[in-house]
Amino acid sequence: MGKSPNTIMGNPSGSRDDGEGPPGVNNFGEYCDGYVEEPMSRSPSLFFTSRYPGEPLPRPAEASPQHTVVNRNVHDEKLMWTKISWNHGGSQVAITGSWDNWESRELLQSRDNDFLTIKLLPPGLYQYHFIVDGCLMCDPECPWVYDNSGSAYNILDLQECVSELPQHLAMFEPPPSPPSSYDNRLLSEDDFSKPPLEVPPQLHLAFLNKPSSSNNGDQPPMPHPSQLNHLHIQNQIGGEFFALSSTHRFRNKFVTTKHRLKDAAAFRRFLPLVSITLLGVFLLMFLLRFNSISNFVTPSSDDFGEVSIRTGNRSHVRQILSLPKQTEFSLKLEKRNQLPPRNLDLYPSLAKDHITIVLYVHNRPQYLKVAVDSLSRVVGINETLLIVSHDGYFEEMNKVVEGVRFCQVKQIFAPYSPHVFPNSFPGVSPTDCKERDDAKTKHCKGTPDQYGNHRSPKIVSLKHHWWWMMNTVWDGLKETKDHNGHILFIEEDHYIYPNAYRNLQILTELKPQKCPHCYAANLAPCDVNARGEGWDSLIAERMGNVGYTFNRTVWRKIHKKTSEFCFFDDYNWDITMWATVYPSFGNPVFTLRGPRTSAVHFGKCGLHQGQGEAIACIDNGMVNFNLEEIDKVANINSDWEVQVFENQPGYKAGFKGWGGWGDKRDHRLCLSFAQMYHS
């Protein structure tokens, strides 16, 4: 590289040198939010719906006295036994909390697959963190809150029990039950044939525990319990009555109670309250509706996997998301995407810790043949699933993939590709503006980019396809939507070395200890012309676009930046990520790789538009690589240190983009892809 790199050592304890965080605690809350492996088997940390009502708490160092028990005379208080457990994986689990001002760590005892401890504490409200393999974690199945910086803490609420024995209820005289409570008629068949009432839409939203202000674009997540008080006026024969109703919902069940006031004077007294309340409700609904339309807010990424689009309501969702009306061909492709992988008879199961491979392709069959041939020689390829994502349907490309016999393989086809809509958006519409047309004088459709050029469907398809693929692979396919491991993304002009898969397994295993601030692992240097340094060390550098792999935690961080991705005026997905998405994370986005490349880029064409009428842009129709023996077996040493390249050339924050992505229709379609599997 020609520079003197900085060196960092492996850091399995997860400590930081900046001195932030509670005393005695290695504050890796931010790092673990997006950069390290997810040790939990069911739900990743820090991305879930809060289940504890209230405003965000202060940071632990600023916690108010009621959150600690330091200097309290515990002998004068009633102590309470409480069990704290962790059942989300890990090899060593400790706990630290506000009960002693975060000054100590206590190891939890391991029993089977769980970790637990018993604590004796006075009644009160406490914050606490789990420390799982040196990384701060928050249990999503226990009450938790955000602090002012956006970090999550579990909450332990110990309330002194009040006996409900009869002697405590001696002064209470229950009112007599009204006759209406026990003289109801028996339910008939007609009652059971009625559909259940719909839950009021207001009960699906809550504004408590919304993440920190940095996530202004996120819609509040749906809470488990909620309550709605509403007022109702109804005219009947013999007079009118005024009703006060309350609806309580817990998950998908709800109950409504109603109190009626027939007295005219009572009605007149409550009429101003009714008017004001209804006005407030209508105003709130208008603001929510206006905000959702104007900002096109993407759903919270905290509820991944819980909500998906079913076939029955797909047309309704398509209308809400402003997706193009699908053709018969587009619908057929969408159905093909749901087919199971092929070669299940040859490879009936996947390895437990497999890394799924996604191959992103366009219409370049000669390139695809080279890439597939290289994959067939990869050691361990038969242990995993290969997903091939097509930008449209091309018969020659399809035949190449159908010939794969070395692993499970699944094909997915972008149903909204310009290749699928040749005569309408997102393809070419007859009324579309072209090149530098003026929309007003030409009476054509389209919004030009920052350089005055109108959209080119084949060019914008590069970004659309990548974004659709990402959302579909992570959140739409049954084979991968619950996959918590890493996913490797490669392209049709990448030649993959035989040792790539084994090297990647080693890198993803070493990343949490060797480079906890790394987001991903890469098979190749970020400079596509480089082949590595050959040092006896690992390399941490900016994320490259050849053979990059990351896990669901990182994908959620990317998905939260949908607006940044969809509105940046550049048709390249990778430049968009480098120039606007990654910088918005607030920390340098590093990836971990080995000192020798395990994949190379052999493409000669600048754009992935397909070969079209021209000849395939590949030298003599074939590619020859001189592989050494070291490239055929895993060549990464777990004892190596990490060399960090902090300052590297490339697209960074502030770059305005190359254009080609100025049409508002492309922005809306991009935003729709982010919402397809979350409603």
Side-chain angles (χ1 to χ4, degrees):
M1 289 295 182
K3 297 183 180 181
S4 177
N6 298 321
T7 303
I8 63 172
M9 300 295 291
N11 189 6
S13 64
S15 60
R16 290 175 65 181
D17 298 328
D18 53 14
E20 295 182 3
V25 178
N26 292 331
N27 186 6
F28 255 87
E30 295 178 0
Y31 286 109
C32 294
D33 187 7
Y35 314 149
V36 301
E37 300 290 356
E38 301 171 62
M40 295 186 292
S41 58
R42 282 176 284 180
S43 176
S45 67
L46 303 186
F47 291 96
F48 33 75
T49 305
S50 175
R51 302 196 304 186
Y52 190 87
E55 295 297 323
L57 294 176
R59 293 184 66 82
E62 305 167 357
S64 53
Q66 65 265 30
H67 295 298
T68 66
V69 295
V70 176
N71 297 326
R72 296 175 61 179
N73 188 355
V74 296
H75 299 288
D76 297 335
E77 302 187 54
K78 295 181 179 179
L79 301 182
M80 304 178 65
W81 293 97
T82 181
K83 183 180 78 170
I84 300 177
S85 62
W86 174 268
N87 58 356
H88 303 295
S91 58
Q92 186 180 67
V93 180
I95 192 171
T96 181
S98 62
W99 41 74
D100 61 354
N101 263 346
W102 309 87
E103 291 182 354
S104 66
R105 299 182 181 184
E106 179 182 348
L107 283 176
L108 274 62
Q109 299 296 320
S110 174
R111 294 188 178 180
D112 297 329
N113 295 325
D114 296 342
F115 297 85
L116 59 88
T117 186
I118 304 294
K119 297 193 71 65
L120 187 62
L121 298 171
L125 185 65
Y126 306 100
Q127 307 169 39
Y128 63 97
H129 261 316
F130 291 96
I131 306 174
V132 183
D133 297 334
C135 180
L136 290 183
M137 290 289 187
C138 193
D139 189 343
E141 297 183 356
C142 296
W144 65 275
V145 292
Y146 279 100
D147 67 6
N148 292 330
S149 68
S151 298
Y153 296 86
N154 282 118
I155 292 296
L156 180 62
D157 189 3
L158 298 180
Q159 301 293 339
E160 186 175 358
C161 296
V162 178
S163 175
E164 296 184 358
L165 294 176
Q167 56 265 30
H168 293 276
L169 305 176
M171 302 300 295
F172 175 74
E173 294 183 3
S177 300
S180 60
S181 65
Y182 49 80
D183 65 352
N184 292 332
R185 64 180 179 82
L186 297 176
L187 296 176
S188 64
E189 293 183 0
D190 293 336
D191 295 308
F192 291 103
S193 64
K194 296 178 180 178
L197 297 176
E198 294 186 1
V199 178
Q202 295 90 337
L203 292 178
H204 292 284
L205 296 177
F207 296 94
L208 295 176
N209 294 324
K210 184 179 178 181
S212 60
S213 58
S214 63
N215 296 326
N216 291 332
D218 291 340
Q219 182 178 344
M222 175 179 171
H224 284 189
S226 61
Q227 178 178 342
L228 174 66
N229 296 318
H230 39 287
L231 306 161
H232 180 59
I233 303 175
Q234 181 173 336
N235 291 321
Q236 279 190 336
I237 298 177
E240 58 185 359
F241 66 81
F242 173 71
L244 302 175
S245 301
S246 177
T247 300
H248 296 261
R249 180 191 61 77
F250 184 77
R251 296 191 176 179
N252 294 325
K253 298 181 180 180
F254 68 97
V255 61
T256 300
T257 59
K258 182 182 294 184
H259 304 278
R260 296 193 298 179
L261 299 174
K262 287 189 176 181
D263 181 71
F267 172 76
R268 286 193 296 271
R269 287 196 302 271
F270 278 97
L271 186 58
L273 177 61
V274 174
S275 303
I276 295 174
T277 303
L278 291 177
L279 179 61
V281 170
F282 285 126
L283 179 60
L284 177 61
M285 293 177 65
F286 172 79
L287 291 176
L288 289 174
R289 177 65 175 171
F290 178 80
N291 183 64
S292 63
I293 294 176
S294 61
N295 295 327
F296 209 98
V297 176
T298 57
S300 169
S301 299
D302 298 344
D303 295 326
F304 276 69
E306 294 185 5
V307 182
S308 60
I309 296 176
R310 295 185 175 87
T311 304
N313 65 353
R314 184 171 294 275
S315 60
H316 176 63
V317 172
R318 184 181 299 112
Q319 183 178 3
I320 294 175
L321 299 182
S322 300
L323 288 169
K325 183 178 179 180
Q326 288 186 274
T327 63
E328 182 179 355
F329 183 45
S330 176
L331 291 171
K332 287 182 178 179
L333 293 182
E334 204 165 45
K335 290 181 179 179
R336 287 196 61 161
N337 294 346
Q338 306 304 319
L339 295 176
R342 290 195 296 272
N343 299 334
L344 290 175
D345 55 332
L346 302 175
Y347 312 98
S349 61
L350 303 174
K352 181 180 179 181
D353 299 323
H354 71 280
I355 298 174
T356 300
I357 302 175
V358 177
L359 179 57
Y360 165 80
V361 303
H362 300 81
N363 184 22
R364 299 189 292 183
Q366 277 86 351
Y367 277 33
L368 181 59
K369 291 176 182 177
V370 174
V372 168
D373 182 66
S374 70
L375 284 171
S376 69
R377 294 173 168 80
V378 171
V379 178
I381 190 69
N382 61 324
E383 301 174 2
T384 189
L385 168 67
L386 173 64
I387 299 175
V388 183
S389 181
H390 297 265
D391 186 19
Y393 183 88
F394 306 100
E395 189 59 41
E396 193 172 353
M397 297 286 288
N398 189 49
K399 289 180 179 178
V400 175
V401 180
E402 288 180 347
V404 171
R405 292 291 183 270
F406 49 80
C407 67
Q408 289 188 22
V409 60
K410 178 182 177 71
Q411 290 176 273
I412 57 175
F413 302 86
Y416 298 99
S417 166
H419 303 288
V420 180
F421 291 80
N423 301 314
S424 62
F425 180 83
V428 180
S429 301
T431 57
D432 280 354
C433 296
K434 299 177 178 63
E435 298 179 349
R436 303 180 71 88
D437 286 347
D438 182 84
K440 292 183 179 179
T441 58
K442 291 282 188 177
H443 302 290
C444 55
K445 292 182 180 180
T447 309
D449 64 10
Q450 58 186 317
Y451 304 107
N453 299 306
H454 286 279
R455 72 189 296 268
S456 169
K458 287 186 177 181
I459 290 179
V460 298
S461 70
L462 304 178
K463 191 168 178 177
H464 277 313
H465 179 200
W466 188 87
W467 188 239
W468 172 85
M469 174 190 71
M470 283 290 173
N471 281 274
T472 299
V473 168
W474 286 110
D475 302 319
L477 296 181
K478 61 182 179 181
E479 290 85 3
T480 52
K481 66 180 181 180
D482 296 321
H483 181 67
N484 288 323
H486 278 69
I487 296 181
L488 168 66
F489 295 91
I490 56 178
E491 299 186 19
E492 63 193 14
D493 55 0
H494 295 170
Y495 187 91
I496 310 302
Y497 286 9
N499 64 1
Y501 188 76
R502 295 300 186 215
N503 274 349
L504 199 59
Q505 287 179 314
I506 298 173
L507 286 171
T508 55
E509 184 178 354
L510 292 177
K511 183 166 64 70
Q513 294 80 31
K514 294 288 185 177
C515 191
H517 59 288
C518 286
Y519 279 76
N522 255 90
L523 292 178
C526 59
D527 181 0
V528 296
N529 296 317
R531 294 294 179 265
E533 302 78 8
W535 301 334
D536 290 337
S537 64
L538 301 173
I539 310 297
E541 63 179 8
R542 75 178 179 93
M543 192 183 300
N545 58 2
V546 177
Y548 54 97
T549 176
F550 51 83
N551 59 21
R552 186 172 298 275
T553 303
V554 177
W555 164 243
R556 289 181 174 178
K557 290 183 70 70
I558 295 173
H559 190 272
K560 283 178 177 289
K561 304 300 180 179
T562 292
S563 295
E564 285 82 350
F565 184 88
C566 291
F567 288 100
F568 185 69
D569 191 7
D570 195 302
Y571 63 88
N572 298 282
W573 68 264
D574 47 2
I575 297 177
T576 300
M577 296 294 290
W578 288 326
T580 183
V581 176
Y582 294 152
S584 69
F585 289 170
N587 296 292
V589 177
F590 287 105
T591 186
L592 186 68
R593 65 169 173 86
R596 291 176 61 91
T597 190
S598 292
V600 294
H601 175 267
F602 63 86
K604 299 296 182 182
C605 297
L607 296 178
H608 299 61
Q609 298 179 25
Q611 62 188 57
E613 298 177 358
I615 61 173
C617 42
I618 186 171
D619 293 340
N620 300 321
M622 60 183 299
V623 174
N624 294 316
F625 291 103
N626 295 321
L627 297 180
E628 301 179 22
E629 290 301 318
I630 194 174
D631 300 319
K632 299 178 181 180
V633 295
N635 54 20
I636 292 178
N637 192 323
S638 60
D639 295 329
W640 285 343
E641 297 178 358
V642 180
Q643 307 289 338
V644 181
F645 291 108
E646 294 185 353
N647 299 313
Q648 302 171 80
Y651 299 96
K652 297 180 181 179
F655 177 65
K656 294 183 178 180
W658 291 111
W661 190 265
D663 200 300
K664 293 181 179 179
R665 293 174 296 174
D666 289 316
H667 300 166
R668 288 194 294 267
L669 182 59
C670 178
L671 293 168
S672 296
F673 288 159
Q675 291 183 304
M676 288 180 63
Y677 307 106
H678 312 279
S679 59

mmCIF file of all heavy atoms in Angstrom, residues 26 118 408 573 621 648:
data_model
loop_
_atom_site.group_PDB
_atom_site.id
_atom_site.type_symbol
_atom_site.label_atom_id
_atom_site.label_comp_id
_atom_site.label_asym_id
_atom_site.label_seq_id
_atom_site.Cartn_x
_atom_site.Cartn_y
_atom_site.Cartn_z
ATOM 1 N N ASN A 26 -16.626 -2.381 29.910
ATOM 2 C CA ASN A 26 -16.130 -2.154 28.557
ATOM 3 C C ASN A 26 -17.322 -1.816 27.682
ATOM 4 O O ASN A 26 -18.105 -2.679 27.335
ATOM 5 C CB ASN A 26 -15.427 -3.410 28.021
ATOM 6 C CG ASN A 26 -14.155 -3.679 28.780
ATOM 7 O OD1 ASN A 26 -13.529 -2.754 29.289
ATOM 8 N ND2 ASN A 26 -13.764 -4.931 28.858
ATOM 9 N N ILE A 118 -28.548 -15.648 40.886
ATOM 10 C CA ILE A 118 -29.563 -15.218 41.844
ATOM 11 C C ILE A 118 -28.998 -14.027 42.607
ATOM 12 O O ILE A 118 -27.901 -14.103 43.164
ATOM 13 C CB ILE A 118 -29.940 -16.339 42.831
ATOM 14 C CG1 ILE A 118 -30.404 -17.590 42.070
ATOM 15 C CG2 ILE A 118 -31.002 -15.859 43.795
ATOM 16 C CD1 ILE A 118 -31.687 -17.390 41.302
ATOM 17 N N GLN A 408 -26.618 -27.217 -3.420
ATOM 18 C CA GLN A 408 -27.981 -26.733 -3.544
ATOM 19 C C GLN A 408 -27.950 -25.383 -4.258
ATOM 20 O O GLN A 408 -27.107 -24.538 -3.971
ATOM 21 C CB GLN A 408 -28.633 -26.550 -2.172
ATOM 22 C CG GLN A 408 -28.976 -27.820 -1.434
ATOM 23 C CD GLN A 408 -29.798 -27.534 -0.178
ATOM 24 O OE1 GLN A 408 -30.447 -26.491 -0.065
ATOM 25 N NE2 GLN A 408 -29.756 -28.462 0.765
ATOM 26 N N TRP A 573 -24.713 0.934 -6.989
ATOM 27 C CA TRP A 573 -25.048 0.602 -5.599
ATOM 28 C C TRP A 573 -23.829 0.735 -4.698
ATOM 29 O O TRP A 573 -23.953 1.173 -3.543
ATOM 30 C CB TRP A 573 -25.609 -0.823 -5.514
ATOM 31 C CG TRP A 573 -24.609 -1.915 -5.805
ATOM 32 C CD1 TRP A 573 -24.405 -2.551 -6.988
ATOM 33 C CD2 TRP A 573 -23.659 -2.469 -4.888
ATOM 34 N NE1 TRP A 573 -23.394 -3.469 -6.874
ATOM 35 C CE2 TRP A 573 -22.912 -3.448 -5.588
ATOM 36 C CE3 TRP A 573 -23.358 -2.251 -3.552
ATOM 37 C CZ2 TRP A 573 -21.904 -4.193 -5.005
ATOM 38 C CZ3 TRP A 573 -22.341 -2.996 -2.956
ATOM 39 C CH2 TRP A 573 -21.628 -3.950 -3.674
ATOM 40 N N GLY A 621 -13.014 -15.155 -24.961
ATOM 41 C CA GLY A 621 -14.085 -16.006 -24.467
ATOM 42 C C GLY A 621 -13.704 -16.864 -23.290
ATOM 43 O O GLY A 621 -14.449 -17.755 -22.914
ATOM 44 N N GLN A 648 -7.770 5.660 3.234
ATOM 45 C CA GLN A 648 -7.665 4.992 1.950
ATOM 46 C C GLN A 648 -8.358 5.812 0.880
ATOM 47 O O GLN A 648 -9.337 6.512 1.160
ATOM 48 C CB GLN A 648 -8.317 3.605 2.009
ATOM 49 C CG GLN A 648 -7.714 2.707 3.070
ATOM 50 C CD GLN A 648 -8.553 1.451 3.229
ATOM 51 O OE1 GLN A 648 -8.432 0.545 2.436
ATOM 52 N NE2 GLN A 648 -9.390 1.414 4.231
#
